[in-house]
Every structure is written in structure tokens, then in C-alpha cells.
mmCIF file of all heavy atoms in Angstrom:
data_model
loop_
_atom_site.group_PDB
_atom_site.id
_atom_site.type_symbol
_atom_site.label_atom_id
_atom_site.label_comp_id
_atom_site.label_asym_id
_atom_site.label_seq_id
_atom_site.Cartn_x
_atom_site.Cartn_y
_atom_site.Cartn_z
ATOM 1 N N PRO A 22 -10.968 -14.285 -9.849
ATOM 2 C CA PRO A 22 -11.632 -13.012 -10.457
ATOM 3 C C PRO A 22 -10.796 -11.805 -9.805
ATOM 4 O O PRO A 22 -10.938 -10.744 -10.426
ATOM 5 C CB PRO A 22 -13.007 -13.151 -9.839
ATOM 6 C CG PRO A 22 -12.960 -14.207 -8.824
ATOM 7 C CD PRO A 22 -11.915 -15.196 -9.185
ATOM 8 N N PHE A 23 -10.210 -11.961 -8.677
ATOM 9 C CA PHE A 23 -9.338 -10.813 -8.199
ATOM 10 C C PHE A 23 -8.253 -10.578 -9.057
ATOM 11 O O PHE A 23 -7.982 -9.381 -9.341
ATOM 12 C CB PHE A 23 -8.831 -11.247 -6.640
ATOM 13 C CG PHE A 23 -7.946 -10.235 -6.140
ATOM 14 C CD1 PHE A 23 -8.344 -9.010 -6.002
ATOM 15 C CD2 PHE A 23 -6.837 -10.597 -5.465
ATOM 16 C CE1 PHE A 23 -7.613 -7.969 -5.462
ATOM 17 C CE2 PHE A 23 -5.952 -9.595 -4.872
ATOM 18 C CZ PHE A 23 -6.468 -8.371 -4.854
ATOM 19 N N ALA A 24 -7.556 -11.584 -9.555
ATOM 20 C CA ALA A 24 -6.560 -11.380 -10.548
ATOM 21 C C ALA A 24 -7.065 -10.725 -11.771
ATOM 22 O O ALA A 24 -6.415 -9.902 -12.366
ATOM 23 C CB ALA A 24 -5.796 -12.725 -10.803
ATOM 24 N N ALA A 25 -8.134 -11.168 -12.243
ATOM 25 C CA ALA A 25 -8.839 -10.572 -13.447
ATOM 26 C C ALA A 25 -9.103 -9.166 -13.299
ATOM 27 O O ALA A 25 -9.067 -8.318 -14.208
ATOM 28 C CB ALA A 25 -10.210 -11.386 -13.848
ATOM 29 N N THR A 26 -9.517 -8.795 -11.993
ATOM 30 C CA THR A 26 -9.854 -7.454 -11.708
ATOM 31 C C THR A 26 -8.608 -6.503 -11.705
ATOM 32 O O THR A 26 -8.724 -5.345 -12.180
ATOM 33 C CB THR A 26 -10.605 -7.359 -10.392
ATOM 34 O OG1 THR A 26 -11.785 -8.027 -10.385
ATOM 35 C CG2 THR A 26 -10.883 -5.908 -10.024
ATOM 36 N N LEU A 27 -7.513 -7.059 -11.301
ATOM 37 C CA LEU A 27 -6.281 -6.317 -11.294
ATOM 38 C C LEU A 27 -5.652 -6.022 -12.597
ATOM 39 O O LEU A 27 -4.990 -5.115 -12.868
ATOM 40 C CB LEU A 27 -5.215 -6.976 -10.411
ATOM 41 C CG LEU A 27 -5.553 -7.151 -8.932
ATOM 42 C CD1 LEU A 27 -4.452 -8.041 -8.293
ATOM 43 C CD2 LEU A 27 -5.501 -5.730 -8.266
ATOM 44 N N ALA A 28 -6.032 -6.916 -13.578
ATOM 45 C CA ALA A 28 -5.341 -6.827 -14.896
ATOM 46 C C ALA A 28 -6.068 -5.853 -15.804
ATOM 47 O O ALA A 28 -7.215 -5.563 -15.812
ATOM 48 C CB ALA A 28 -5.360 -8.185 -15.437
ATOM 49 N N ASP A 29 -5.346 -5.379 -16.910
ATOM 50 C CA ASP A 29 -5.910 -4.548 -17.920
ATOM 51 C C ASP A 29 -6.607 -5.435 -18.980
ATOM 52 O O ASP A 29 -6.413 -6.656 -19.097
ATOM 53 C CB ASP A 29 -4.865 -3.706 -18.611
ATOM 54 C CG ASP A 29 -4.238 -2.689 -17.699
ATOM 55 O OD1 ASP A 29 -4.897 -2.333 -16.641
ATOM 56 O OD2 ASP A 29 -3.166 -2.224 -18.040
ATOM 57 N N ASP A 30 -7.534 -4.821 -19.758
ATOM 58 C CA ASP A 30 -8.186 -5.601 -20.827
ATOM 59 C C ASP A 30 -7.170 -6.197 -21.770
ATOM 60 O O ASP A 30 -7.422 -7.324 -22.345
ATOM 61 C CB ASP A 30 -9.109 -4.689 -21.632
ATOM 62 C CG ASP A 30 -10.376 -4.284 -20.870
ATOM 63 O OD1 ASP A 30 -10.613 -4.987 -19.822
ATOM 64 O OD2 ASP A 30 -11.037 -3.331 -21.225
ATOM 65 N N ARG A 31 -6.087 -5.491 -22.072
ATOM 66 C CA ARG A 31 -5.159 -6.021 -23.063
ATOM 67 C C ARG A 31 -4.469 -7.318 -22.735
ATOM 68 O O ARG A 31 -4.095 -8.123 -23.691
ATOM 69 C CB ARG A 31 -4.090 -4.995 -23.325
ATOM 70 C CG ARG A 31 -3.254 -4.696 -22.175
ATOM 71 C CD ARG A 31 -2.064 -3.717 -22.547
ATOM 72 N NE ARG A 31 -1.296 -3.359 -21.380
ATOM 73 C CZ ARG A 31 -0.305 -4.146 -20.810
ATOM 74 N NH1 ARG A 31 0.031 -5.406 -21.346
ATOM 75 N NH2 ARG A 31 0.392 -3.843 -19.885
ATOM 76 N N ASP A 32 -4.346 -7.715 -21.477
ATOM 77 C CA ASP A 32 -3.682 -8.858 -21.125
ATOM 78 C C ASP A 32 -4.426 -9.707 -19.992
ATOM 79 O O ASP A 32 -3.834 -10.515 -19.298
ATOM 80 C CB ASP A 32 -2.265 -8.696 -20.677
ATOM 81 C CG ASP A 32 -2.159 -7.852 -19.389
ATOM 82 O OD1 ASP A 32 -3.122 -7.416 -18.839
ATOM 83 O OD2 ASP A 32 -0.922 -7.645 -18.917
ATOM 84 N N ARG A 33 -5.642 -9.434 -19.932
ATOM 85 C CA ARG A 33 -6.387 -10.227 -18.869
ATOM 86 C C ARG A 33 -6.357 -11.738 -19.088
ATOM 87 O O ARG A 33 -6.214 -12.480 -18.069
ATOM 88 C CB ARG A 33 -7.875 -9.670 -18.828
ATOM 89 C CG ARG A 33 -8.828 -10.304 -17.647
ATOM 90 C CD ARG A 33 -9.980 -9.645 -17.496
ATOM 91 N NE ARG A 33 -9.792 -8.300 -16.916
ATOM 92 C CZ ARG A 33 -10.119 -7.143 -17.559
ATOM 93 N NH1 ARG A 33 -10.591 -7.186 -18.775
ATOM 94 N NH2 ARG A 33 -9.889 -6.016 -16.908
ATOM 95 N N GLY A 34 -6.542 -12.220 -20.324
ATOM 96 C CA GLY A 34 -6.565 -13.531 -20.557
ATOM 97 C C GLY A 34 -5.095 -14.070 -20.240
ATOM 98 O O GLY A 34 -5.098 -15.229 -19.728
ATOM 99 N N ARG A 35 -3.980 -13.354 -20.473
ATOM 100 C CA ARG A 35 -2.721 -13.860 -20.098
ATOM 101 C C ARG A 35 -2.541 -13.904 -18.585
ATOM 102 O O ARG A 35 -1.980 -14.915 -18.040
ATOM 103 C CB ARG A 35 -1.700 -12.926 -20.773
ATOM 104 C CG ARG A 35 -0.243 -13.567 -20.638
ATOM 105 C CD ARG A 35 0.670 -12.973 -21.841
ATOM 106 N NE ARG A 35 0.664 -11.582 -21.850
ATOM 107 C CZ ARG A 35 1.821 -10.795 -21.661
ATOM 108 N NH1 ARG A 35 2.957 -11.419 -21.330
ATOM 109 N NH2 ARG A 35 1.770 -9.649 -21.807
ATOM 110 N N VAL A 36 -2.851 -12.990 -17.863
ATOM 111 C CA VAL A 36 -2.827 -12.893 -16.410
ATOM 112 C C VAL A 36 -3.620 -14.074 -15.826
ATOM 113 O O VAL A 36 -3.115 -14.813 -15.055
ATOM 114 C CB VAL A 36 -3.287 -11.548 -15.751
ATOM 115 C CG1 VAL A 36 -3.429 -11.656 -14.320
ATOM 116 C CG2 VAL A 36 -2.347 -10.444 -16.227
ATOM 117 N N VAL A 37 -4.907 -14.248 -16.192
ATOM 118 C CA VAL A 37 -5.693 -15.317 -15.719
ATOM 119 C C VAL A 37 -5.118 -16.684 -16.098
ATOM 120 O O VAL A 37 -5.039 -17.621 -15.322
ATOM 121 C CB VAL A 37 -7.131 -15.317 -16.361
ATOM 122 C CG1 VAL A 37 -7.978 -16.568 -15.867
ATOM 123 C CG2 VAL A 37 -7.961 -13.987 -15.679
ATOM 124 N N GLY A 38 -4.476 -16.692 -17.331
ATOM 125 C CA GLY A 38 -3.787 -17.879 -17.738
ATOM 126 C C GLY A 38 -2.684 -18.327 -16.784
ATOM 127 O O GLY A 38 -2.525 -19.446 -16.420
ATOM 128 N N TYR A 39 -1.868 -17.322 -16.475
ATOM 129 C CA TYR A 39 -0.710 -17.578 -15.555
ATOM 130 C C TYR A 39 -1.108 -18.027 -14.169
ATOM 131 O O TYR A 39 -0.555 -18.996 -13.541
ATOM 132 C CB TYR A 39 0.091 -16.293 -15.396
ATOM 133 C CG TYR A 39 0.979 -16.146 -16.711
ATOM 134 C CD1 TYR A 39 1.269 -14.827 -17.147
ATOM 135 C CD2 TYR A 39 1.545 -17.075 -17.372
ATOM 136 C CE1 TYR A 39 1.954 -14.557 -18.231
ATOM 137 C CE2 TYR A 39 2.173 -16.925 -18.597
ATOM 138 C CZ TYR A 39 2.526 -15.653 -19.012
ATOM 139 O OH TYR A 39 3.192 -15.325 -20.107
ATOM 140 N N VAL A 40 -2.140 -17.320 -13.689
ATOM 141 C CA VAL A 40 -2.719 -17.819 -12.338
ATOM 142 C C VAL A 40 -3.320 -19.240 -12.430
ATOM 143 O O VAL A 40 -3.123 -20.162 -11.500
ATOM 144 C CB VAL A 40 -3.796 -16.831 -11.854
ATOM 145 C CG1 VAL A 40 -4.484 -17.335 -10.580
ATOM 146 C CG2 VAL A 40 -3.200 -15.475 -11.564
ATOM 147 N N MET A 41 -4.000 -19.497 -13.586
ATOM 148 C CA MET A 41 -4.466 -20.824 -13.799
ATOM 149 C C MET A 41 -3.420 -21.925 -13.954
ATOM 150 O O MET A 41 -3.682 -23.086 -13.787
ATOM 151 C CB MET A 41 -5.349 -20.810 -15.116
ATOM 152 C CG MET A 41 -6.735 -20.231 -14.870
ATOM 153 S SD MET A 41 -7.741 -21.048 -13.759
ATOM 154 C CE MET A 41 -7.892 -22.641 -14.577
ATOM 155 N N THR A 42 -2.168 -21.458 -14.372
ATOM 156 C CA THR A 42 -1.026 -22.413 -14.334
ATOM 157 C C THR A 42 -0.774 -22.974 -13.017
ATOM 158 O O THR A 42 -0.599 -24.189 -12.823
ATOM 159 C CB THR A 42 0.294 -21.743 -14.784
ATOM 160 O OG1 THR A 42 0.067 -21.272 -16.296
ATOM 161 C CG2 THR A 42 1.424 -22.641 -14.820
ATOM 162 N N GLY A 43 -0.848 -22.088 -11.997
ATOM 163 C CA GLY A 43 -0.652 -22.542 -10.628
ATOM 164 C C GLY A 43 -1.870 -23.487 -10.175
ATOM 165 O O GLY A 43 -1.573 -24.506 -9.506
ATOM 166 N N LEU A 44 -3.040 -23.138 -10.508
ATOM 167 C CA LEU A 44 -4.131 -23.955 -10.250
ATOM 168 C C LEU A 44 -4.149 -25.405 -10.787
ATOM 169 O O LEU A 44 -4.227 -26.388 -10.237
ATOM 170 C CB LEU A 44 -5.499 -23.287 -10.565
ATOM 171 C CG LEU A 44 -6.755 -23.982 -10.240
ATOM 172 C CD1 LEU A 44 -7.842 -22.965 -9.783
ATOM 173 C CD2 LEU A 44 -7.356 -24.888 -11.337
ATOM 174 N N LEU A 45 -3.742 -25.402 -12.057
ATOM 175 C CA LEU A 45 -3.470 -26.621 -12.825
ATOM 176 C C LEU A 45 -2.335 -27.548 -12.300
ATOM 177 O O LEU A 45 -2.453 -28.707 -12.240
ATOM 178 C CB LEU A 45 -3.431 -26.392 -14.391
ATOM 179 C CG LEU A 45 -4.742 -25.908 -15.076
ATOM 180 C CD1 LEU A 45 -4.286 -25.363 -16.440
ATOM 181 C CD2 LEU A 45 -5.742 -26.903 -15.069
ATOM 182 N N LEU A 46 -1.263 -26.816 -11.990
ATOM 183 C CA LEU A 46 -0.125 -27.551 -11.370
ATOM 184 C C LEU A 46 -0.518 -28.235 -10.003
ATOM 185 O O LEU A 46 -0.214 -29.309 -9.745
ATOM 186 C CB LEU A 46 1.033 -26.603 -11.190
ATOM 187 C CG LEU A 46 1.871 -26.350 -12.505
ATOM 188 C CD1 LEU A 46 2.941 -25.279 -12.092
ATOM 189 C CD2 LEU A 46 2.526 -27.622 -13.020
ATOM 190 N N GLY A 47 -1.385 -27.422 -9.313
ATOM 191 C CA GLY A 47 -1.973 -28.011 -8.039
ATOM 192 C C GLY A 47 -2.686 -29.161 -8.300
ATOM 193 O O GLY A 47 -2.692 -30.221 -7.548
ATOM 194 N N THR A 48 -3.646 -29.029 -9.353
ATOM 195 C CA THR A 48 -4.538 -30.231 -9.635
ATOM 196 C C THR A 48 -3.698 -31.404 -10.045
ATOM 197 O O THR A 48 -3.940 -32.536 -9.548
ATOM 198 C CB THR A 48 -5.525 -29.779 -10.746
ATOM 199 O OG1 THR A 48 -6.166 -28.699 -10.347
ATOM 200 C CG2 THR A 48 -6.408 -31.006 -11.084
#
């Protein structure tokens, strides 16, 4: 949610998606 807060509305899904890439790779 910190990443989502930093992002703009236009690319919030993309920013969260990239951060989630790290989470999924860790998983």
C-alpha cells in the first residue's frame, strides 16, 4: 500500500503490479 500511495491514478495498477512481481518471485 505504500507503493500504491506513491503512485498516480494513471499507473497505480502498473506500479503495484511491478512490486507484486518481486513478491511473486519471492514466493
Side-chain angles (χ1 to χ4, degrees):
F23 180 47
T26 298
L27 294 174
D29 292 342
D30 286 344
R31 65 175 174 81
D32 66 356
R33 183 167 290 113
R35 190 151 57 114
V36 169
V37 169
Y39 287 143
V40 174
M41 284 295 298
T42 297
L44 187 143
L45 291 168
L46 283 173
T48 302

